[in-house]
């Protein structure tokens, strides 16, 4: 299953209500926490908490977040 980022948040507490909403809709989620290192030469790291869902459920997840 390929996961895609559907939203980014500044901190973990901001993502929790969205995760609860998506899980209540039956949409599996993954959370990528900020990189604790400075990243590598190509990516440069990420300072945000990223919320990912399966690619085939991305549109449904976006609608659930917006409602």
């Amino acid at each position: 299953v390929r996961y895609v980022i559907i939203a980014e948040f500044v901190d973990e507490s901001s993502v929790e209500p969205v995760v609860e909403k998506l899980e209540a809709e039956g949409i599996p989620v993954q959370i990528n926490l900020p990189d604790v290192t400075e990243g590598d030469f190509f990516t440069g790291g990420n300072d945000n908490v990223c919320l990912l869902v399966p690619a085939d459920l991305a549109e449904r997840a976006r609608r659930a977040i917006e409602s």
Side-chain angles (χ1 to χ4, degrees), residues 15-55:
V15 75
E16 289 173 8
V18 178
V19 169
E20 290 173 6
K21 187 172 194 175
L22 293 176
E23 287 178 341
E25 294 282 331
I27 300 171
V29 299
Q30 286 186 357
I31 299 172
N32 282 0
L33 300 175
D35 294 337
V36 293
T37 63
E38 293 186 25
D40 62 34
F41 178 76
F42 296 104
T43 65
N46 186 355
D47 293 332
N48 297 322
V49 176
C50 297
L51 179 62
L52 298 92
V53 299

